[in-house]
Amino acid sequence: MTSKSENKASEGIYYGNFAGKFEDSVASHDVAGNVYIMDKKTLFVKGFVYDGQAPGAVMWVGTSGTRPSGNGVALSISPGAAVEPLEKFDGTRDLTLSLPGNLEAGQLAWLSVWCDLFTVDFGHVLLANMLVPEPVTISGFAFGAHNIMSGPVTLKNEKTLIIEDFSYDGNGPGAYFTVGVGRPSVRGYKVPDENGSDKALDQPYEGTTIELTLPDGVTFHDVEYFSIYCFPFRADFGHFAIPEIPRGNLPSSLATPKPKKSSSGVNCETMLPDVFNVAWLTRPDAIHMIFTGRIEPGTYMAFGVSGSQHATSMLNADATVAWIDTQSNLPRAEDYFLRDYAQCTGVSGACPDTQFGGTNDVIVQGFKIANGTTGIYVIRKLLSETGDNKHDKAHTGVKNIVWAIGPINNDGIVSKHSHTIQGIVRLDFERTPVINCNELPQTTDEPKQEVQVWPPRILSGIPTRQFHFTMGPSGGKPGYTGTTGQVSWGIAYWVNGLLIPKLVLKRGETYIFIIETGNNPSHTASYHPVYITSDPIGGFIQNTEQERQSLLGGVYYGIDGNQMPSEGATGSFCEYTPIDTSLRAEDTASFEEYKANQLLQCEEPRVPGVFQWRPDARTPQTLYYQCFQHRYLGWKIEISDE
């Protein structure tokens, strides 16, 4: 049997999975180079050649078709820099191309040297159906000598591993991290510690998450174990096996730059590449944080500690939310508790701590807006200083974290996120400081594409006497926001299969409202009683000026004199959900195209609520159908004499 070590010398440098050579589509420009997929966010071009003579040529990727087209995305050839026309390359330089936003290598169909000015492909490589290298998670240390143990281990790339919840008492003489083949022995390779030091391990670890990089010339394809080995006594204190992983399954180590040590004590991590970074500095009584994002006005950045000790969970999470107020152009920040996956009602949902009787333990210290990025500097008290143990969590030690980006509504309350964390992410708030952030790209001078608002949806109550209410996505800027001018929570009413249509009704006629928007008040995220009101925002239960509203349908007066949703205003729950979750409303040409990607799903048994309503001579001309519990879900009713 051939061992890993016997194959090592023949492997050479691994650049990633080979995708192919550039095919020179226009021979006069001499495009050449070998293209590799390094990981899901990075491409590598080895020995790139291009004469630099054409105006405006750029690296260009697309996700559909077997030939390059104008439907693509331009890539920068320098991390964090703006996209600029390609200069001359003579084959002596290599290019590392980072994919922006949520774009990943597995979605790509091709990479092209593309001239948008003349819509010409100068050379391309097809990328569809390529294997994309991914990190691999394996079992870590079982209980060993000197209290060695750990959680799972992630092989981040072919040379880097992350050990979670690592413990070791630090008392073993002359012990080192090592890797090798066969059994742990003095023939193993010493691995520098998490600080890059080659010294013996003389410090204890207590449930710490550490990231280590194998020495030069060694990859996980070359070794069979990872050990803590005592050289003076030739003793293996504990080890775990490195499985046989096919070459190409792990990302290339070239794709992940080595963390930069921080001389200032500041840590920094990228939450979303090219979009959102979080830096922090821990002091005895507070944690100082800077949120930096490429965000539009009216967008919040949120970061905090998971609601679960064992996983990343938004439910019961404790987060700091920061944004620039669009009215004053000044920064704001709030301490949030996520009691439920729902809009804030003051008693449930994603709300500031103050709405649950807690305290706001976040203070804004400063902000900066430049080159398309927004930075907000906040100080957050540590748990021992807040006195709010019910809603706050410790920002110390190793924690599962949460983050999100999304719109802030007109009340200064978060709406449903547009981007959020994927998978389980853990951070050590007290680690040796490193800067793990990539610089955010600068804004280019290219004009932003205006979002086209869908034409209004209208239901006439002359031929239509029944209106069937269900829930569904809000349609973003082309849909709810474009129609109403308000920021939505991310869901809205769909009536007779249309997203928030305007209802045009005739006085003196009786209309039937069929409701399937939820009937369980304890499930606030799916409980949306319908009522007819003069309030353009809704959420009667949250309104502090209830006496100023007219309530005309879907409600009754309880024995205590308070208005409540009538029985017919609630019913079983039906909701339109997207078939392809990657298709955004902004990427569709029409509401009809958007709806074609939605599937109506209903809870069983289906028992709709039903109530009738008849506008008369005293009914105002303009009213609204809204949710009794939540704001920003409904739209307009126009009353006509004709």
Side-chain angles (χ1 to χ4, degrees):
M1 179 178 176
T2 303
S3 72
K4 290 184 179 182
S5 59
E6 289 173 318
N7 280 332
K8 178 186 168 189
S10 63
E11 296 291 355
I13 297 176
Y14 171 63
Y15 298 107
N17 282 335
F18 182 61
K21 298 181 179 181
F22 268 106
E23 296 179 14
D24 195 359
S25 301
V26 181
S28 60
H29 288 290
D30 300 324
V31 175
N34 293 336
V35 177
Y36 300 83
I37 298 179
M38 300 172 75
D39 63 16
K40 66 181 181 180
K41 294 294 294 182
T42 317
L43 307 180
F44 185 80
V45 184
K46 179 68 177 171
F48 182 53
V49 174
Y50 167 61
D51 65 12
Q53 295 300 309
V58 295
M59 285 294 185
W60 187 254
V61 290
T63 58
S64 62
T66 57
R67 302 287 294 183
S69 69
N71 185 19
V73 176
L75 304 182
S76 170
I77 63 171
S78 299
V83 175
E84 294 184 354
L86 294 171
E87 57 189 43
K88 181 178 178 179
F89 290 85
D90 61 4
T92 60
R93 287 174 57 189
D94 306 326
L95 304 181
T96 300
L97 308 176
S98 298
L99 301 179
N102 292 326
L103 188 63
E104 295 185 355
Q107 301 170 297
L108 300 181
W110 42 260
L111 168 68
S112 168
V113 176
W114 178 263
C115 178
D116 198 41
L117 185 62
F118 295 103
T119 61
V120 175
D121 168 37
F122 293 152
H124 69 271
V125 175
L126 298 179
L127 302 176
N129 303 317
M130 285 292 300
L131 174 66
V132 178
E134 295 275 6
V136 172
T137 300
I138 61 176
S139 298
F141 289 104
F143 190 80
H146 292 283
N147 298 325
I148 291 174
M149 61 188 304
S150 79
V153 172
T154 299
L155 306 184
K156 185 176 179 180
N157 58 46
E158 60 172 358
K159 291 182 68 69
T160 307
L161 77 164
I162 299 171
I163 306 176
E164 296 187 19
D165 293 330
F166 173 58
S167 294
Y168 166 58
D169 65 14
N171 294 326
Y176 293 83
F177 295 122
T178 68
V179 292
V181 295
R183 294 183 176 181
S185 71
V186 293
R187 294 189 299 274
Y189 301 97
K190 292 180 180 179
V191 178
D193 66 17
E194 69 277 13
N195 299 316
S197 172
D198 294 323
K199 296 190 307 180
L201 304 176
D202 55 3
Q203 297 291 327
Y205 296 83
E206 298 180 2
T208 305
T209 295
I210 58 175
E211 182 170 322
L212 308 172
T213 300
L214 302 188
D216 291 344
V218 182
T219 74
F220 291 117
H221 302 298
D222 309 320
V223 298
E224 297 172 344
Y225 69 79
F226 184 97
S227 165
I228 295 181
Y229 192 80
C230 173
F231 281 80
F233 292 95
R234 300 197 171 197
D236 171 28
F237 290 161
H239 73 273
F240 55 82
I242 304 295
E244 186 83 35
I245 299 173
R247 201 163 188 80
N249 282 34
L250 284 174
S252 165
S253 61
L254 300 177
T256 307
K258 196 170 183 179
K260 294 175 284 186
K261 293 180 183 178
S262 169
S263 59
S264 63
V266 174
N267 278 287
C268 190
E269 286 287 341
T270 292
M271 302 295 114
L272 181 62
D274 295 339
V275 179
F276 184 28
N277 290 338
V278 174
W280 74 92
L281 174 66
T282 303
R283 295 298 191 199
D285 60 345
I287 181 168
H288 297 236
M289 297 184 289
I290 298 177
F291 298 172
T292 307
R294 294 187 72 232
I295 57 173
E296 297 179 354
T299 302
Y300 67 81
M301 298 175 283
F303 172 82
V305 176
S306 166
S308 168
Q309 295 181 1
H310 311 291
T312 290
S313 172
M314 301 293 285
L315 192 65
N316 294 320
D318 170 26
T320 296
V321 177
W323 71 99
I324 302 296
D325 181 69
T326 54
Q327 301 298 317
S328 64
N329 292 321
L330 293 175
R332 290 184 58 189
E334 284 278 353
D335 188 357
Y336 262 71
F337 182 69
L338 283 65
R339 182 169 286 176
D340 198 357
Y341 294 109
Q343 183 186 128
C344 177
T345 64
V347 294
S348 189
C351 297
D353 286 11
T354 52
Q355 297 213 20
F356 295 138
T359 55
N360 181 22
D361 296 300
V362 179
I363 302 170
V364 176
Q365 286 295 103
F367 75 108
K368 181 179 181 180
I369 301 175
N371 300 320
T373 63
T374 298
I376 302 178
Y377 171 25
V378 300
I379 296 178
R380 181 193 173 97
K381 295 178 184 177
L382 294 183
L383 179 60
S384 59
E385 304 292 323
T386 69
D388 190 4
N389 294 348
K390 191 173 182 181
H391 307 106
D392 291 340
K393 300 185 186 305
H395 287 53
T396 54
V398 180
K399 294 289 189 297
N400 295 309
I401 59 107
V402 294
W403 66 261
I405 295 173
I408 202 92
N409 69 24
N410 295 353
D411 300 320
I413 301 294
V414 299
S415 294
K416 188 175 182 180
H417 52 254
S418 56
H419 300 84
T420 191
I421 196 167
Q422 301 295 324
I424 297 176
V425 179
R426 293 167 69 81
L427 280 185
D428 184 355
F429 283 96
E430 298 174 287
R431 71 189 186 188
T432 300
V434 293
I435 304 298
N436 245 349
C437 290
N438 295 322
E439 189 175 340
L440 301 183
Q442 305 295 302
T443 299
T444 66
D445 294 331
E446 297 175 5
K448 289 187 178 180
Q449 248 185 337
E450 291 295 327
V451 174
Q452 295 298 314
V453 176
W454 296 326
R457 280 83 48 210
I458 299 174
L459 281 175
S460 171
I462 305 306
T464 305
R465 300 302 175 89
Q466 294 187 0
F467 300 105
H468 183 198
F469 282 69
T470 58
M471 301 306 299
S474 65
K477 293 180 180 178
Y480 182 95
T481 298
T483 299
T484 68
Q486 306 280 2
V487 176
S488 79
W489 169 249
I491 56 175
Y493 285 134
W494 287 51
V495 185
N496 293 5
L498 300 177
L499 170 62
I500 58 163
K502 180 170 70 174
L503 307 185
V504 181
L505 310 184
K506 184 181 179 182
R507 299 182 197 277
E509 299 289 344
T510 299
Y511 297 96
I512 298 174
F513 290 72
I514 303 167
I515 312 300
E516 289 193 285
T517 60
N519 56 12
N520 188 343
S522 64
H523 294 170
T524 58
S526 55
Y527 179 62
H528 308 292
V530 177
Y531 76 119
I532 298 170
T533 175
S534 59
D535 184 6
I537 294 176
F540 180 81
I541 196 171
Q542 302 180 51
N543 201 305
T544 57
E545 298 180 338
Q546 295 178 346
E547 68 280 357
R548 295 191 178 186
Q549 291 190 43
S550 298
L551 280 68
L552 292 96
V555 296
Y556 78 98
Y557 286 86
I559 56 176
D560 57 0
N562 291 326
Q563 295 95 330
M564 300 291 293
S566 65
E567 184 176 351
T570 65
S572 48
F573 187 73
C574 288
E575 183 177 28
Y576 284 94
T577 58
I579 300 168
D580 178 1
T581 55
S582 66
L583 181 65
R584 304 182 312 151
E586 289 79 3
D587 299 328
T588 58
S590 64
F591 169 72
E592 289 70 26
E593 181 184 343
Y594 183 69
K595 184 183 176 182
N597 187 46
Q598 308 296 326
L599 179 67
L600 183 63
Q601 296 182 304
C602 297
E603 294 179 351
E604 298 291 344
R606 290 185 66 174
V607 184
V610 179
F611 71 87
Q612 296 185 3
W613 183 62
R614 180 176 181 270
D616 56 28
R618 296 173 298 173
T619 303
Q621 182 176 346
T622 301
L623 293 169
Y624 300 86
Y625 55 88
Q626 297 289 1
C627 175
F628 197 84
Q629 296 287 114
H630 304 102
R631 299 179 176 184
Y632 309 110
L633 295 189
W635 189 224
K636 191 176 291 185
I637 300 174
E638 281 194 4
I639 308 301
S640 172
D641 294 320
E642 300 301 327

